[in-house]
Every structure is written in C-alpha cells, then in structure tokens.
DNA sequence: CTGAAAGCGCTAACAA
DNA sequence: TTGTTAGCGCTTTCAG
C-alpha cells in the first residue's frame, strides 16, 4: 500500500517500491535499452500498482524541449479558423506535440498576452494569426529559439518569420472579373476594416480588376468596417439607395457574406430598401466558402483553411527539426466556385 | 553584454547582471512586496536588457499547479464544438489558465491518448467530450487530483465526475411533438449511430413523443449511422421510396441536417426519388442550430454550445478552487426555433 | 546491466 | 529589505 504522500507518486516512489534505483525506473519508463527483463518487470508492476505517470513538466525542464506549440488565432468559433486549427492539431499530434490554443478576438493586447504566456510555458513553436501590427515583443523570444510562423496575415514590425497567406488580391480580382464578365458595371465591395491585411489586399484585387476593365473606382460603392450585422445592414441600405445603385456585391469574408444575405433576406431587421423595385435580385460573390453556401447557391472565392493550417504547421515543424534558411512566404491559391448568385445578370 | 550561454537567460543570469541574489529577482518578477524601489529598478533593467522571461515550467514544478487545463472534444472544426471551445478558452484565460485543445475525431483511443498526454503535462483539470465508453483509465488521474468535467455526453465506466449535457430527449420530444401538432403522422428520424449518447437520447425523445400521441414506433422510419453525406443520401432515398413515406423528417444533429438538406436539394449526387410527385416539400426539423439555418428557413431544436462550454468550465474552476461535494450533473435546456421548415403541413 | 550525484529554473522556508 | 539553502521530478553524466 502506498504511503499517504501528498500528490502523485514519483520515480523515486516507484524505485523504492520496486527495490531499484531511480535511474532504472527512468530507463524503463523511457524504454531505454539495457535493462534486465525481470528488473523491468518489477518496475512495471510497481508503476502499475502505484498509478505512476511520468511528469512531463519535470522532464521538459531537464531536456529543454516541451513538445508543445502555441496557436493563436482570431476566434476558434469562426469556421475558417477552426478548420485551420484542426489541421494544425492533427499535424502536431502526429509529431508528438500538444497544442495550446487561444483566440485573440482581433485584440492586439490579447494576442500579445497569449503569445507571451505560451512563450513562458516554453512552447517550441508558435503559429500566429496576428491581430496587431507590432510584433517587436516577439523578437527576444525568436532570438531565444522559439520558432514562429504567421498564418493568414503577415506580421507587422517585428522579427522576420515564415508566413502563409492566401492570394487575397488575386482571389478578389477573379471574383470581380467574374462579375464584370457577367455584365456588371456597378459592383459594391463590402469588407472588414482596411486595417486588416486580408481586407486591404482584397480591396486591392477589386480595384485592380476595375482598373483593368477601364472602370472608375467609386468610393461610394465601398463599405469597410466591422463584420457585424448592424454595420453591414446599414451599409447595404446606403448602397442600395444610391441614385446609381450597385447591381452586384462582392463581400469580403464569410461573416460579411452571411450578414449581407441576412440583410437582403430581411432576416436581420428591416430589409434594405430597393429604389428600383423592377430590378431583379442583386448578384453576389463572397470571399471564403462557408458551410451551406452550396445550399444557398452562393458563388464564392474559396480558400482552404485546413490547407493553410497544414502549410503553417509543416513549415513550423520543418524549422523545429532544424531547417534553416531565410523566412519563407507561401501564398496559397484561391478558387472560384460558381453556384448561381454570381452569375445573375445586372437588372 | 550577456555571455554566450546556450538557451535563455535565467533568474540567476538576471541576478548576476543586477548584482543581487536570485531570490530578489524572484521577488521582482512575481511582484512580491518588500523590495526596495531602486533595487527593483536595477532588476527590471537587467530583465529588459537580457530579454528575460520567467520559465513557467520550472515554476510549475515547484508550485504544483500548472495553471493549464486540457480540452478534448470531438472535432474543433465542428461549429458546435468550436463554440464550446471558445467559451472554455475565455473562462480559462480569465482564470489565468491556458488551454491544451485536442480533437478525438470520435476515436476512443485518440481520446485516451490526448487525455493521458494532458495528464502527463499535469494539467490542473480536464474538460472531456467522451468518444469512448470506458473511462477507467482516468481513475488514477482523478484520484491523483486532476479535476475532470464531462461535456455533451456522460462518461462511461470510470470515475464519477461532473457532467454537463443538454436535454437531448426533451428537445427531440419537443421537435417531434411540433411536427405531430402540424399534422404529421409519418415522421422519419435520421441521426448519429445509437452508440453515441446524444443520438440514443434523442431517439428516446422521439419515441416518447410518438408514444404519447398514441402512434406506433416504426423502425423503418429510423436511420441512424455515420453523419456523412453518402450514408444520409442513401438512407433518405430509402425512406422516400417507402410505400408509405414520411411527410416529415427529424434530423438528429447539425451535420445530418445539412447533409439531409443537400440530399433533398440534389446538391449531393442524385436527388432522392419522390414516389408521390404531387406531394409538397417534406417538413424538416433539425436538432442543433447552425449558422445560416435562418437563411434557409430551417426550424431547429437549438442548444447553446457556448453555454455548455461555459457551464463545464465554471464547474471545473469551482472544483479547482476547492469546492467539494458529490459529482454534479447539469442538464441544459433546448429551445424550439420556428423558421418555416417544421411548419409545413403533410402532403 | 545498474546506480549515485549533479543540476534543469524556479519557489518556499528560513535566516541575517 | 535581502540572501541562503533546499528541493520540485526528472535526465544526464559518469562510475561501478
């Protein structure tokens, strides 16, 4: 019967129970060679009867690597980031690594807090979807050997690090071109605040497509801001009340697409007024695929969240296994998925 | 200039640089009272110039608590669990606790592997959505003081632990009653495999509602199995080809609802044959709300994933702060959300 | 094949 | 106010 010690049994307890030295237990626990089978047997029995489990914290302290990584995203509850998370998790687990996850909620202070907390736990590496633009706080950590990979958005000021983004501008260009090809000339652009990298890039792509088609850039057709329902509804009402309203909408991410659809459907407060009642339904293309976009017939510019997570994790583990070289920057492709909403002709 | 030591500076390095004793650095780092302001200043300067950051692993080893918890869910990429995760994260962070997250993918071996890995890291507590039914492996851990809360499903054999579930049977009963009240007599039930607790409970509720209405239970109207598109499509085809086909469907979770809608829409392979072409669209109610269910007009039995995560986390932290007493079992309510699809009359 | 001793970076307990 | 000593549970090094 084990003595009534506080807390869990340690290797020392096991050693005492098995009548061997501490180091022998360590050998058995870690499957190190060179232990007599019968000795090992006794040790195993002691482990079993005491309910011993190695303390990885202590192990880590001695060995240097924690076999854990930190993942900081914008929000796990957002399907884009949860898809990315799952891919990161899977690769980490395959590498024998556990994952600390944290949502920054687009708050730079919280991002920093999470990252530094992970660093204090001495994670081996980090995958970060940056919320802020100042990553100087990371420099000492990176210099101390913590590997960092940025995903979805590049870091702001701070250490040069590997980055995985998607082809935001290209995707937005393709979407806009698609609407132009279907005859639209007044295309509104609704997106996140321009301070967010992806939104700025998508705006760039939209503008490039307009320019290439010889069309003017009309600021009145652009509405950028928080992705919440109220803001989107208000902006949409303004847009549709214009003297020369848009015949098509390009929405800059999944949340905004859904909010826009709700606003158009009137599910979210009063439906935005249509000044020209004769006009058909407005065309719409959204950046980011979302779960039942197929059921709703929404044409989208899809990116692959799991693919992004995988790319970031693979990059990270390559660094952790010693690969050196200059920081890499991967740009993942996007894909136009035609489903009907983006192919409606102008009214 | 710091010496070229391997790895990161330690408290000892800081102490040497500041010309004070180790313990003084410790006091400053931990904001312990009783340090002369000017001494503290020198220490801070040394910390800054060396890029020192406390090693929480070592701290943990000494203090006993790791200020981390483990969260094992079925799949972070599933919106239900990602909503739950976010709530857990938020509460944990507020408690100064970091979260290890892992997806079991409904695989008991992986659940066990994750849980035990978290225990080896000496997490203070666990929140587990059990995939398996045998939780004996947890007993030594719980006896050693790791708090465990089960969420969404109760544990199988194993230690008695706090559990948070939703009123699965009641929700399914309410949904079925709603369809009955709208005149349906042939209601199909499509759900997860009955080995999964929530599916079994929802089936129970469905049966109770039928029984209360004096209707027979027809096994031919029940299709339980994996939530993938192919299985749902096949089952739906079978159901709709019955001599006396269902006029309404009750779908047992979010994934199955979406798969069913896809099958009905013909988005997922050939549309299931309708033997009676004169009949209107089949009525449908789904268990679990999902993102644009409002846009699709789908009536659902909604539960609150974030609420479940919050409840589980609050229970866990209450235990961690010493609350004793018998294991609690919380049952969260569900809510019928009427949106049209569940109110269609029978053909 | 087995073991004793040192020490990873930190905090707790106790001097000075 | 500051410092000294011991030791958390483990791995590493080196001896038997």
């Amino acid at each position: 019967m084990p003595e009534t010690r506080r807390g869990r049994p340690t290797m020392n307890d096991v050693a005492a129970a098995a009548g061997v030295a501490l180091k022998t237990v360590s050998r058995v626990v870690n499957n190190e060679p060179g232990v007599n089978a019968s000795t090992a047997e006794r040790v195993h029995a002691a482990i079993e009867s005491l309910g011993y489990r190695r303390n990885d914290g202590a192990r880590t302290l001695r060995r240097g690597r924690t076999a854990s990584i930190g993942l900081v995203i914008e929000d796990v509850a957002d399907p884009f980031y949860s898809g990315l998370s799952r891919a990161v998790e899977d690769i980490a687990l395959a590498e024998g690594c556990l994952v600390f996850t944290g949502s920054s909620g687009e708050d730079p202070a919280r991002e920093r807090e999470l990252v530094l907390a992970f660093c204090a736990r001495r994670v081996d590496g980090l995958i970060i979807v940056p919320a802020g633009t100042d990553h100087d706080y990371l420099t000492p950590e990176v210099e101390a050997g913590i590997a960092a990979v940025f995903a979805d958005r590049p870091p702001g000021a701070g250490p040069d690090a590997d980055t995985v983004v998607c082809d935001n501008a290209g995707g937005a260009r393709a979407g806009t071109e698609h609407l132009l090809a279907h005859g639209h000339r007044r295309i509104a652009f609704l997106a996140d605040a321009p301070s967010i990298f992806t939104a700025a890039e998508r705006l760039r792509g939209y503008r490039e497509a307009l320019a290439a088609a010889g069309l003017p850039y009309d600021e009145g057709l652009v509405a950028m801001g928080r992705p919440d329902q109220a803001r989107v509804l208000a902006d949409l009402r303004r847009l549709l009340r214009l003297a020369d309203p848009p015949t098509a909408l390009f929405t800059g991410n999944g949340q905004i697409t859904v909010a826009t659809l709700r606003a158009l459907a009137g599910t979210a407060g009063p439906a935005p007024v249509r000044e020209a009642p004769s006009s058909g339904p407005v065309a719409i293309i959204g950046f980011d695929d979302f779960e039942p976009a197929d059921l709703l017939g929404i044409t989208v510019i899809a990116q692959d969240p799991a693919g992004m997570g995988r790319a970031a994790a693979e990059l990270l583990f390559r660094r952790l296994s010693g690969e050196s070289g200059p920081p890499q920057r991967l740009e993942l492709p996007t894909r136009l998925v035609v489903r009907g909403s983006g192919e409606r002709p102008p009214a």
Side-chain angles (χ1 to χ4, degrees), chain A:
Chain A
M1 201 171 298
E3 299 181 21
T4 329
R5 298 167 104 282
R6 277 159 50 83
R8 309 191 59 135
T10 71
M11 274 194 182
N12 243 317
D13 301 327
V14 175
V20 297
L22 175 62
K23 177 66 220 189
T24 301
V25 179
S26 173
R27 287 199 178 92
V28 172
V29 167
N30 297 299
N31 292 312
E32 280 171 35
V35 178
N36 192 324
S38 73
T39 313
E41 197 40 62
R42 263 188 306 149
V43 172
H44 274 126
I47 287 175
E48 195 67 23
S49 83
L50 293 180
Y52 171 78
R53 192 100 51 197
R54 182 180 67 201
N55 182 332
D56 280 351
R59 166 173 232 242
T60 269
L61 184 58
R62 200 55 244 255
R63 303 192 50 180
R65 282 216 163 173
T66 56
S68 60
I69 64 172
L71 172 64
V72 179
I73 55 189
E74 207 267 294
D75 181 7
V76 239
D78 180 317
F80 180 81
Y81 296 111
S82 66
L84 186 151
S85 293
R86 177 64 201 261
V88 170
E89 253 185 33
D90 285 350
I91 291 185
L93 199 61
E95 300 271 349
C97 220
L98 298 185
V99 184
F100 281 117
T101 311
S103 298
S104 72
E106 213 67 272
D107 172 1
R110 186 156 153 166
E111 173 207 310
R112 197 186 120 112
E113 185 190 353
L114 284 166
V115 168
L116 290 181
F118 293 163
C119 289
R121 296 310 221 296
R122 296 296 187 267
V123 294
D124 299 328
L126 290 162
I127 294 177
I128 305 172
V129 175
T133 53
D134 178 9
H135 296 271
D136 272 338
Y137 71 84
L138 251 182
T139 307
E141 310 302 323
V142 168
E143 278 172 359
I146 295 185
V149 174
F150 288 86
D152 195 42
R153 313 165 183 175
D160 246 9
D162 295 319
T163 304
V164 181
V165 296
C166 86
D167 180 10
N168 291 288
R173 207 185 311 119
T176 309
E177 280 165 359
H178 188 75
L179 291 167
L180 290 167
H182 282 266
H184 294 277
R185 290 296 171 270
R186 299 280 296 163
I187 303 172
F189 181 81
L190 287 111
D192 252 324
S195 59
I196 294 177
F197 171 79
T198 50
E201 283 293 292
R202 293 169 195 178
L203 176 64
R204 185 162 70 79
Y206 162 81
R207 295 187 64 161
E208 283 173 7
L210 293 182
L215 258 59
Y217 171 66
D218 180 352
E219 276 201 337
L221 288 178
V222 172
M224 299 176 86
R226 299 194 43 204
D228 56 276
Q229 188 65 61
R231 199 276 298 178
V232 170
L233 179 61
D235 274 333
L236 200 57
R237 291 176 68 94
R238 178 181 65 72
L239 287 165
L240 295 179
R241 275 173 177 157
L242 289 174
D244 190 5
T247 60
L249 308 174
F250 188 87
T251 50
N253 71 28
Q255 277 182 77
I256 288 175
T257 305
V258 171
T260 300
L261 293 172
R262 284 211 177 96
L264 290 172
T267 319
V273 176
R274 289 278 178 64
E275 294 295 320
S278 66
S279 67
V282 71
I284 180 167
I285 293 186
F287 206 112
D288 285 345
D289 206 359
F290 57 100
E291 173 72 320
D294 58 334
L295 286 170
L296 294 164
I298 305 302
T299 296
V300 299
I301 302 296
Q303 51 172 327
D304 176 11
M308 183 176 285
R310 218 175 300 124
E314 280 165 357
L315 212 49
L316 182 64
F317 283 106
R318 244 181 283 136
R319 294 299 187 188
L320 290 182
S321 56
E323 187 176 300
S324 56
Q328 295 209 24
R329 168 150 180 162
L330 258 61
E331 191 171 86
L332 271 31
T334 59
R335 201 173 93 250
L336 173 73
V337 183
V338 171
R339 297 200 179 106
S341 73
E343 294 69 41
R344 297 199 270 259

